[in-house]
Amino acid sequence: MPKNLTVVVLAAGGGTRMKSKTMKVLHPIGGRSMIGHVLHAVQQAEPTQIIAVVGTQRDTVGPHILEHAPGAVLAVQESLDGTGDAVRVALQAIGGSVTGTVLVVTGDTPLLRGESLRDFAEEHDAAERAVSVLTGVVGNPFGYGRIVRNDEGDVEAIVEEKDATPAQREIAEINSGILAFDAEFLTGAIGQLRNHNAGGEYYLTDTVGIAREAGLTVGAHLLDDVMQTEGANDRVQLATLGRELNRRIVVDWMRAGVTVMDPATTWIDADVVLSRDVTLLPGTQLIGATVVAEDAVIGPDTTLKDCEIGVGARIVRTHGELAVIGDGASVGPFAYLRPGTSLGEAGKIGTFVETKNSTIGAGSKVPHLSYVGDAEIGEATNIGAGTIFANYDGKKKHRTTVGSRTKTGSNNTFIAPVSIGDDASTGGGTTVRRDVPDGALAVSASPQRNIAGWAARRAALDSDDEK
Ligand code: UD1
Ligand code: CA
């Protein structure tokens, strides 16, 4: 690894082809922004410093970059005068002088891997070149800078699409936009760039010609896995790269011991963490910082965002967000776990149950048709079918507590704030408005009356009406 590595991340362009109010590099893919993926890869190359060039929407892009790379220096490019100008602005931001190796990357290549950057920087350093270009051979090179080589195969120049001759446009080897420089050479070359070209811009790629003229070494590193250097300029490319990124993540997890029944309908974000022998059934989406422990089975048709799932838990047809599910617990089918849900070991959140901001203790069950909001339920308690934790009085939310080993009847309403003790019971149809002590039975439904002969009398009344 280069001992003294500076990485410049170019992210000043707006990305008009996205047709979006959101900057191109902030578009999400695989659970991070595009630039989030790039910064992640960059950090794996262990740079001494990172300089990010921002311009369009710097107020949103700048803080986002610092979130992903806290030590980065932000350089502001006032007008988008080209990649060469962007690097000039970057060097200026650190006082104009830099030593060691400088790696320039663009902010929109979400599939880029840290190890590719490392290998590239290492090769550049070992070869003691002035400039190295990371290149790829693509099916359709339109829009890219073409790599022009001489008869010996040495890189002579990079020619941009707009400036290329018809013969040069036939070249399939392209500039990925990722280049490595000897810092001293770069500092000098940046000052020599001119914008006398079809784009009227300062091209960073002109440094290749400058190095050649000075008799310095230029080299290229061809990356076989060309998708790593592909950028998403519009939403069609974003979706294509998104599917490919997901395919790679799913394959990596299968190789790490996760069973994925249907890779095509399984979506796993980059920051999700899975354990061995997890099983993912078709239609499963694991989003954000979701963590799933060994032997858990998720799906089918389940979305979990920022959830933590315990060993051997079973989650069926569920939508969950910011929920913690204990070992051996069971959820669904058709459960909605809202933020702050915590289910203890071997607990159950069953069918057509919605939970929010509630702790349900070990072995406790909410099996059917219920809403549990702002509640604390002890251990080994059973909540009857069709129970509503009425947590909202129209103005404020209130909490309900239910103790351990308590059994509540079906079709109950708990009007918060209220508390039901340990080993307590409630009758079917109870509306709990006052606290229930430990061991007590609460009933609130009025005693049932049976009115004998009612059907016959009603029939008689009806036939009178018809007369
Ligand atoms: C650039 C390369 C081209 C390469 C292609 C790969 C140049 C002159 N051309 O072309 O050889 O094949 O990338 O995608 O370098 N940016 C700034 N400030 C600017 C201009 C650009 O920060 O003034 C940033 C953009 O936000 C983007 C990156 O630099 O992240 C590349 O800019 P872009 O306009 O996409 O360059 P291309 O024309 O695609
Ligand atoms: Ca581009």
Side-chain angles (χ1 to χ4, degrees):
M1 207 53 245
K3 280 188 292 295
N4 181 3
L5 179 67
T6 296
V7 178
V8 176
V9 183
L10 302 184
T16 45
R17 280 174 284 171
M18 281 289 177
K19 305 227 168 100
S20 175
K21 57 187 171 302
T22 303
M23 273 275 298
K24 174 164 89 172
V25 295
L26 296 186
H27 277 260
I29 171 167
R32 293 186 196 134
S33 62
M34 285 208 263
I35 198 164
H37 286 283
V38 171
L39 291 168
H40 194 86
V42 161
Q43 275 158 319
Q44 286 175 338
E46 293 171 14
T48 339
Q49 59 183 345
I50 299 172
I51 311 164
V53 182
V54 295
T56 317
Q57 288 188 28
R58 69 193 69 153
D59 298 344
T60 47
V61 180
H64 182 84
I65 288 170
L66 293 178
E67 236 172 74
H68 284 270
V73 174
L74 295 180
V76 176
Q77 191 187 17
E78 295 293 347
S79 71
L80 301 181
D81 292 333
T83 49
D85 182 63
V87 170
R88 183 187 61 76
V89 167
L91 297 184
Q92 219 167 42
I94 54 162
S97 81
V98 61
T99 54
T101 301
V102 179
L103 189 61
V104 177
V105 304
T106 60
D108 64 347
T109 52
L111 269 60
L112 185 65
R113 294 187 88 112
E115 64 210 51
S116 306
L117 280 181
R118 262 202 318 253
D119 291 350
F120 175 56
E122 248 162 40
E123 188 195 286
H124 164 86
D125 246 37
E128 299 187 336
R129 294 182 194 131
V131 191
S132 299
V133 193
L134 190 66
T135 70
V137 172
V138 295
N140 176 13
F142 180 82
Y144 285 103
R146 309 299 204 283
I147 306 299
V148 179
R149 291 176 183 266
N150 64 16
D151 294 341
E152 281 77 54
D154 300 330
V155 179
E156 289 269 272
I158 301 176
V159 181
E160 294 304 305
E161 177 79 36
K162 287 179 187 159
D163 304 291
T165 63
Q168 287 170 334
R169 290 203 177 117
E170 297 297 312
I171 298 171
E173 188 182 8
I174 56 98
N175 167 27
S176 68
I178 297 165
L179 295 98
F181 296 94
D182 170 66
E184 212 179 311
F185 164 74
L186 179 67
T187 312
I190 284 294
Q192 297 174 43
L193 295 178
R194 295 291 171 263
N195 62 351
H196 306 148
N197 50 51
E201 289 183 355
Y202 295 90
Y203 292 162
L204 181 64
T205 45
D206 284 351
T207 53
V208 168
I210 292 171
R212 292 293 297 180
E213 270 166 41
L216 300 169
T217 2
V218 177
H221 178 102
L222 179 71
L223 191 64
D224 289 329
D225 180 14
V226 72
M227 280 194 107
Q228 279 195 48
T229 60
E230 248 170 69
N233 293 308
D234 62 28
R235 303 199 202 216
V236 177
Q237 290 170 332
L238 188 66
T240 305
L241 286 183
R243 180 165 286 287
E244 175 59 18
L245 177 59
N246 186 62
R247 192 192 65 78
R248 293 175 179 210
I249 292 170
V250 170
V251 165
D252 284 349
W253 281 120
M254 290 191 290
R255 297 216 191 284
V258 171
T259 293
V260 179
M261 188 183 275
D262 183 15
T265 63
T266 301
W267 290 81
I268 306 175
D269 277 356
D271 292 319
V272 166
V273 178
L274 307 177
S275 293
R276 276 161 58 130
D277 292 315
V278 161
T279 297
L280 305 179
L281 298 177
T284 292
Q285 277 178 294
L286 302 178
I287 298 175
T290 293
V291 178
V292 183
E294 221 167 289
D295 296 326
V297 181
I298 316 289
D301 299 330
T302 292
T303 298
L304 299 176
K305 183 178 184 207
D306 301 326
C307 289
E308 203 181 308
I309 309 299
V311 175
R314 182 76 185 90
I315 319 289
V316 189
R317 294 187 201 280
T318 291
H319 187 98
E321 190 168 339
L322 279 167
V324 179
I325 304 301
D327 297 351
S330 126
V331 176
F334 307 107
Y336 180 21
L337 310 173
R338 290 169 55 197
T341 295
S342 164
L343 178 62
E345 191 176 335
K348 180 183 176 93
I349 292 173
T351 308
F352 301 117
V353 174
E354 173 180 345
T355 59
K356 185 214 79 173
N357 198 16
S358 292
T359 300
I360 300 170
S364 287
K365 299 186 160 79
V366 187
H368 332 272
L369 297 158
S370 294
Y371 171 61
V372 182
D374 300 307
E376 188 91 35
I377 300 175
E379 298 185 355
T381 282
N382 193 86
I383 303 297
T387 295
I388 303 299
F389 286 62
N391 57 333
Y392 187 50
D393 62 10
K395 289 200 181 78
K396 272 186 164 156
K397 303 278 169 65
H398 302 280
R399 291 194 73 80
T400 299
T401 62
V402 180
S404 293
R405 300 168 307 278
T406 286
K407 308 262 175 289
T408 65
S410 297
N411 192 29
N412 276 203
T413 305
F414 304 150
I415 313 246
V418 79
S419 142
I420 299 170
D422 293 335
D423 304 294
S425 296
T426 65
T430 300
T431 300
V432 178
R433 296 172 190 277
R434 289 184 293 126
D435 290 355
V436 180
D438 291 353
L441 166 71
V443 284
S444 74
S446 53
Q448 178 176 327
R449 287 196 303 147
N450 293 336
I451 297 163
W454 178 83
R457 270 184 283 139
R458 188 176 73 169
L461 280 172
D462 286 352
S463 72
D464 279 353
D465 285 350
E466 279 161 26
K467 282 176 195 157

